[in-house]
């Protein structure tokens, strides 16, 4: 995953944290430039965490984008070179900052 794709996923995920729409995730994957596999990996990562919410919907997104991906996060993350700790830290920071400075 490039830094540009990571940035797009961070901005999108931050915006979706309070105004979540499953179809928006499908649209992001369909229109690019972020790949279906990258969106699926991000959805699996966020669904597996305790803090983001929207767990069931995010698992559905991942399954729709990449069938049989649920339960295989490590495999998906490696395939797209998803940096979990970096994404987690940057997204939490972005959400906290944006909630204080709309």
């Amino acid at each position: 995953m490039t830094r540009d794709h990571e940035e797009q996923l961070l901005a999108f995920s931050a915006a979706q944290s309070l105004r979540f729409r499953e179809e928006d995730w499908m649209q992001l994957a369909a229109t690019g430039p972020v790949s279906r596999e990258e969106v699926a990996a991000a959805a699996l990562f966020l669904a597996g965490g305790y803090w983001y919410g929207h767990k069931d919907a995010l698992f559905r997104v991942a399954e729709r984008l990449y069938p049989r991906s649920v339960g295989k996060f490590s495999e998906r993350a490696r395939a797209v070179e998803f940096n979990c700790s970096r994404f987690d830290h940057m997204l939490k920071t972005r959400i906290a900052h944006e909630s204080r400075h709309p």
Side-chain angles (χ1 to χ4, degrees):
M1 178 181 305
T2 66
R3 288 284 173 95
D4 183 50
H5 289 192
E6 179 185 62
E7 174 55 33
Q8 289 181 41
L9 278 169
L10 286 165
F12 178 80
S13 299
Q16 287 280 304
S17 68
L18 296 175
R19 295 175 300 282
F20 188 90
R21 289 193 55 233
E22 193 171 323
E23 287 308 311
D24 291 347
W25 288 76
M26 302 305 295
Q27 184 66 28
L28 176 66
T31 59
V34 179
S35 73
R36 295 171 61 88
E37 292 84 2
E38 291 169 331
V39 175
L44 286 172
F45 174 74
L46 293 171
Y50 65 91
W51 62 272
Y52 188 78
H54 318 291
K55 177 180 179 175
D56 293 336
L58 286 163
F59 279 133
R60 279 193 304 274
V61 165
E63 191 63 24
R64 287 172 65 190
L65 292 174
Y66 207 89
R68 294 178 299 284
S69 63
V70 173
K72 297 181 181 173
F73 170 69
S74 294
E75 180 182 308
R76 291 291 85 231
R78 273 192 311 276
V80 297
E81 298 180 20
F82 186 85
N83 186 327
C84 302
S85 27
R86 178 181 165 82
F87 191 84
D88 183 67
H89 175 73
M90 291 181 72
L91 183 57
K92 285 176 179 174
T93 301
R94 180 174 283 202
I95 290 171
H97 179 75
E98 290 177 0
S99 69
R100 291 185 184 108
H101 307 284

